[in-house]
Amino acid sequence: MTNLNPSAKAMVPFVSVDNMMRLIHHTGVENMLRDLAAYVEEDFRRWELFDKTPRVASHSDVGVIELMPTSDGEAYGFKYVNGHPKNTSEGLQTVTAFGLLADVYTGYPVLLTEMTMLTALRTAATSAMVAKYLAPKDAHTMAMIGNGAQSEFQTLAMKAICGLKSVRLYDQDPKATEKCARNLAGCGLEVVKCKTPEEAIEGAQILTTCTADKQYATILSDNMVGPGVHINAIGGDCPGKTELAAGILSRSDVFVEFPPQTRIEGEIQQMPEDFEVTEMWQVITGQKQGRRDDRQITLFDSVGFAIEDFSALRYIRDQIKGSEFFIELDMLADPDDPRDLFGMLQRAGTAHPA
Amino acid sequence: MTNLNPSAKAMVPFVSVDNMMRLIHHTGVENMLRDLAAYVEEDFRRWELFDKTPRVASHSDVGVIELMPTSDGEAYGFKYVNGHPKNTSEGLQTVTAFGLLADVYTGYPVLLTEMTMLTALRTAATSAMVAKYLAPKDAHTMAMIGNGAQSEFQTLAMKAICGLKSVRLYDQDPKATEKCARNLAGCGLEVVKCKTPEEAIEGAQILTTCTADKQYATILSDNMVGPGVHINAIGGDCPGKTELAAGILSRSDVFVEFPPQTRIEGEIQQMPEDFEVTEMWQVITGQKQGRRDDRQITLFDSVGFAIEDFSALRYIRDQIKGSEFFIELDMLADPDDPRDLFGMLQRAGTAHPA
């Protein structure tokens, strides 16, 4: 009899949301943030190797669906991600995502995984990895402005990677602040709930902004930002969406992932096209300076780049090997004779007649 | 207790290779080819509606990985497909594929499916749907040149949709012809094994070429093609890969899917940039003429377009409703409160401690 069991190559490991959460708990969320930061940092070091295709966006009146592919020549990865701000009011996620890693040599997928949870982790890990280079050395307090889905991950990454001791929470919706404070209780940080953004930034060396409005907003105004701080600007990540007053950008040294994308999607979309920025990978490889002095304002204008997703996919592929945190999906047709796809179909009909 | 079962919206129906084969046998392969042709034809009729993003290709020395997205404004679909000619010699498929359909309004995926098998079906269904418009009215015999993975599907689609009675097989590898003839035995067609391409085209009104070499080849030379035939050219589908002598193109009326793509990937890459072609959707909507007379040579220069995959994804989504031919994948994180992704993660840790 013909063997109808798909061969190993035809099976694609799949990490469900449930298995991703099990893996995070098994690893420990702070350990995983540290591991992810190391993978992202490694890929920033070999930045020039990567195929930096722009993301492919399909826009509608209510949102966007994007594919973010990249490759280092050995592996190929892409993320599917949507952005639908109106979803929240309908009880759905603004952003959902999944990702795939494939072998460049064969073209065969080697990993399919949920990436809603994983994107939250990689975004936070990237922020903290960057803050390690840019924040003042003795940074111990962060203002977390915007207490939505990203806020706890950002906070724990800054704790795990930068040694944060205290977080000051503010959101225009006090319920979001309550939720964030509740989730962070017992994590070993001092958690302070604040009633205004001004109160939140008191004594903070790191200012993280992560709000969700798809409009030009001014979460931080110019006079709120004093010398020496590091601003970690997460929320401005699509055309028409910014969080910072232009005056802050003018006084800051701005660090970015990939300038062509950041000029369209980041805080610097408010600035002239030739506004000076430093590419973060050049700071990490030592080609450019990061923080220069104690009074300098550094600003990471983060929009999220495909290479960070690639790092996260690589990490998950490595982590699940030999583990129980995935199932195998029969996703690729793999006939014994590659030219005999039809014969494979015929034999399947004999095996389980309709 | 918090309900940890993912909500319905977080689950994505997945059609495995095994379930796709069950669905095909349940439906009947010829019925499915007819159904698919109807879906493809419907989408060609509303061609102008579609977002026609070019495919996003990642090339390496040994192959290519492509994402082919499109949208009709209500649904969004993409196909992942690789092309690795050297794979066959390593016991792997040259082409593997999977696809995804999503709801444009929410951005949530609604179907994930294998597409290696499905692509073979949609390619054949498209060829036959086009031949219905372009082949001579009394066409009953097809030469099938290239007897690889596509050949049986092409043949059965021409039988189901165009009333084919006889197929004449040729491949430079006699084993491929033997395989194809064996697979087609008992399907209700006269099957003739031929030793040369010249023998294969004797008395044929439809000439289908579908060979796999990634190089400029001449499967049909100019003097082999007489008046009145329809040529269904499937194999020339990437830069540097063609099957027909340029002289044949000069004497034919050439019909294409999407000219910007066909000029790069199709047979007409051999011709000047302004070589005249007719878009097939315009024939189907009646804006342009198809076959004009009995002596005309019509040529469908098929490269495969994202809209055909979209039609196939729509069809599978409709077919599996209420069926047993899929499983649900927990692929999207869906917290009760969209802002509380971290809380969802924490509660999962309580439910199954590491």
Side-chain angles (χ1 to χ4, degrees):
Chain A
M1 284 301 291
T2 304
N3 179 13
L4 286 166
N5 293 326
S7 78
K9 294 247 168 168
M11 303 303 278
V12 180
F14 166 64
V15 180
S16 67
V17 175
D18 191 53
N19 270 326
M20 182 62 75
M21 296 194 296
R22 286 172 198 257
L23 175 63
I24 297 168
H25 285 291
H26 174 80
T27 310
V29 60
E30 292 188 40
N31 289 333
M32 190 147 163
L33 286 162
R34 259 189 297 263
D35 289 349
L36 278 167
Y39 271 69
V40 172
E41 189 170 349
E42 189 184 329
D43 286 341
F44 270 61
R45 272 186 208 288
R46 51 196 199 112
W47 190 264
E48 286 164 293
L49 253 179
F50 282 89
D51 175 14
K52 283 171 281 287
T53 320
R55 52 175 90 181
V56 187
S58 176
H59 293 275
S60 70
D61 294 346
V62 292
V64 62
I65 296 175
E66 294 180 334
L67 298 174
M68 300 167 69
T70 192
S71 170
D72 68 356
E74 288 187 9
Y76 165 94
F78 78 86
K79 178 162 85 168
Y80 169 102
V81 59
N82 74 300
H84 285 69
K86 62 89 193 158
N87 271 7
T88 310
S89 65
E90 298 166 14
L92 298 173
Q93 286 285 105
T94 301
V95 173
T96 62
F98 71 90
L100 182 109
L101 202 67
D103 176 10
V104 167
Y105 182 72
T106 63
Y108 275 48
V110 298
L111 171 69
L112 176 73
T113 177
E114 86 81 35
M115 281 193 87
T116 312
M117 208 53 96
L118 188 59
T119 297
L121 289 165
R122 76 87 163 125
T123 302
T126 303
S127 281
M129 184 276 286
V130 166
K132 197 179 67 175
Y133 285 90
L134 299 182
K137 259 196 211 97
D138 57 349
H140 48 72
T141 299
M142 175 169 85
M144 182 70 233
I145 297 177
N147 300 153
Q150 257 290 308
S151 57
E152 299 92 343
F153 297 100
Q154 284 284 333
T155 303
L156 289 181
M158 292 293 181
K159 172 175 182 278
I161 294 152
C162 304
L164 196 76
K165 304 281 181 234
S166 176
V167 64
R168 302 176 66 82
L169 306 177
Y170 169 75
D171 195 290
Q172 59 182 13
D173 179 358
K175 280 188 203 138
T177 303
E178 283 300 334
K179 177 249 1 170
C180 184
R182 194 170 55 240
N183 286 340
L184 290 173
C187 78
L189 286 174
E190 179 191 38
V191 177
V192 183
K193 292 180 276 185
C194 302
K195 291 203 162 46
T196 64
E198 287 78 5
E199 187 188 343
I201 64 175
E202 270 173 35
Q205 297 85 29
I206 300 175
L207 316 183
T208 294
T209 57
C210 189
T211 63
D213 283 338
K214 188 175 179 171
Q215 60 189 33
Y216 293 104
T218 305
I219 310 300
L220 289 183
S221 58
D222 197 9
N223 61 4
M224 287 167 67
V225 176
V229 300
H230 173 63
I231 303 173
N232 175 39
I234 303 300
D237 61 357
C238 61
K241 187 172 161 214
T242 61
E243 299 183 314
L244 305 182
I248 298 172
L249 301 177
S250 306
R251 291 193 290 129
S252 304
D253 288 303
V254 176
F255 298 82
V256 305
E257 289 141 320
F258 185 55
Q261 186 179 319
T262 314
R263 290 192 194 280
I264 295 167
E265 300 175 1
E267 295 298 328
I268 58 168
Q269 65 186 276
Q270 307 175 65
M271 307 307 279
E273 266 181 52
D274 60 351
F275 181 77
E276 198 185 326
V277 297
T278 304
E279 293 185 58
M280 201 56 220
W281 71 271
Q282 294 189 304
V283 175
I284 290 163
T285 55
Q287 295 171 55
K288 293 278 171 72
Q289 202 171 8
R291 174 162 288 273
R292 209 174 43 235
D293 62 56
D294 288 353
R295 295 191 54 81
Q296 181 191 17
I297 302 170
T298 52
L299 193 162
F300 178 42
D301 188 359
S302 172
V303 296
F305 191 57
I307 293 176
E308 295 151 20
D309 298 311
F310 182 89
S311 313
L313 289 167
R314 278 205 304 125
Y315 172 71
I316 297 300
R317 178 199 58 192
D318 293 350
Q319 280 303 101
I320 63 169
K321 268 179 199 154
S323 84
E324 61 194 86
F325 302 115
F326 67 96
I327 59 167
E328 304 257 28
L329 292 188
D330 161 27
M331 199 159 104
L332 309 174
D334 186 37
D336 296 336
D337 172 359
R339 292 181 307 186
D340 198 13
L341 195 63
F342 190 83
M344 176 184 174
L345 173 63
Q346 275 185 325
R347 287 185 288 276
T350 318
H352 37 66
Chain B
M1 285 299 293
T2 305
N3 179 12
L4 286 169
N5 293 326
S7 78
K9 295 247 168 170
M11 303 302 277
V12 180
F14 166 64
V15 180
S16 67
V17 175
D18 190 54
N19 270 327
M20 182 62 75
M21 296 194 296
R22 286 173 198 259
L23 175 63
I24 297 168
H25 285 290
H26 174 80
T27 311
V29 60
E30 291 189 40
N31 289 333
M32 192 147 161
L33 287 161
R34 258 189 297 264
D35 289 349
L36 278 166
Y39 271 70
V40 172
E41 189 169 351
E42 190 184 326
D43 286 341
F44 270 60
R45 272 188 207 288
R46 54 198 197 108
W47 190 264
E48 286 164 294
L49 254 179
F50 282 89
D51 177 14
K52 282 170 283 287
T53 320
R55 51 176 90 178
V56 187
S58 178
H59 292 275
S60 70
D61 293 346
V62 291
V64 63
I65 296 175
E66 294 181 333
L67 297 173
M68 299 168 69
T70 191
S71 170
D72 68 355
E74 289 187 10
Y76 165 95
F78 79 84
K79 178 162 85 168
Y80 169 103
V81 59
N82 75 299
H84 286 67
K86 62 90 193 157
N87 272 7
T88 310
S89 64
E90 297 166 14
L92 297 172
Q93 286 286 106
T94 301
V95 172
T96 62
F98 71 90
L100 182 110
L101 201 68
D103 176 11
V104 167
Y105 182 72
T106 62
Y108 276 46
V110 297
L111 171 68
L112 176 72
T113 178
E114 86 82 34
M115 282 193 87
T116 311
M117 207 54 93
L118 188 58
T119 297
L121 288 164
R122 75 86 163 128
T123 302
T126 303
S127 281
M129 186 275 286
V130 166
K132 197 179 65 174
Y133 285 90
L134 299 183
K137 261 197 208 99
D138 57 349
H140 48 75
T141 298
M142 177 170 84
M144 182 71 234
I145 298 177
N147 300 154
Q150 258 289 307
S151 57
E152 299 93 343
F153 297 100
Q154 284 285 333
T155 303
L156 289 181
M158 292 292 181
K159 171 176 184 276
I161 293 152
C162 304
L164 197 74
K165 305 281 180 232
S166 176
V167 64
R168 303 176 67 80
L169 306 177
Y170 170 76
D171 196 290
Q172 59 181 15
D173 179 358
K175 280 187 203 140
T177 303
E178 284 300 332
K179 177 246 5 169
C180 183
R182 195 169 54 238
N183 286 340
L184 290 173
C187 78
L189 286 173
E190 180 193 36
V191 178
V192 183
K193 293 179 274 184
C194 303
K195 292 203 162 46
T196 63
E198 287 77 5
E199 187 188 343
I201 64 176
E202 267 172 39
Q205 298 83 30
I206 300 175
L207 315 184
T208 294
T209 56
C210 189
T211 61
D213 283 338
K214 190 176 179 172
Q215 60 188 36
Y216 294 104
T218 306
I219 310 300
L220 289 183
S221 57
D222 197 9
N223 61 3
M224 287 168 68
V225 176
V229 299
H230 173 62
I231 303 173
N232 175 40
I234 303 301
D237 62 357
C238 62
K241 187 171 161 217
T242 60
E243 298 183 315
L244 306 182
I248 298 172
L249 301 177
S250 307
R251 292 193 291 131
S252 304
D253 288 303
V254 176
F255 297 82
V256 304
E257 290 142 319
F258 186 55
Q261 186 179 318
T262 313
R263 290 192 193 280
I264 296 168
E265 300 175 1
E267 295 298 328
I268 57 168
Q269 66 186 279
Q270 306 177 64
M271 307 307 278
E273 267 181 50
D274 60 352
F275 181 76
E276 199 186 324
V277 298
T278 304
E279 293 185 56
M280 201 55 220
W281 71 270
Q282 295 189 306
V283 175
I284 290 164
T285 56
Q287 295 170 56
K288 293 277 172 72
Q289 202 171 5
R291 173 163 291 273
R292 213 174 40 236
D293 63 56
D294 288 351
R295 296 191 54 82
Q296 181 191 16
I297 302 170
T298 52
L299 193 162
F300 178 43
D301 187 0
S302 174
V303 296
F305 191 58
I307 294 177
E308 295 150 20
D309 298 311
F310 182 89
S311 313
L313 288 167
R314 279 205 304 122
Y315 173 72
I316 296 300
R317 179 198 57 193
D318 294 350
Q319 281 302 100
I320 63 169
K321 269 179 198 153
S323 83
E324 63 195 83
F325 303 115
F326 66 96
I327 60 166
E328 304 257 29
L329 292 188
D330 161 26
M331 198 159 106
L332 309 174
D334 186 38
D336 297 337
D337 172 359
R339 292 181 308 188
D340 199 12
L341 195 64
F342 191 83
M344 176 183 174
L345 173 62
Q346 275 186 324
R347 287 185 290 275
T350 318
H352 37 69

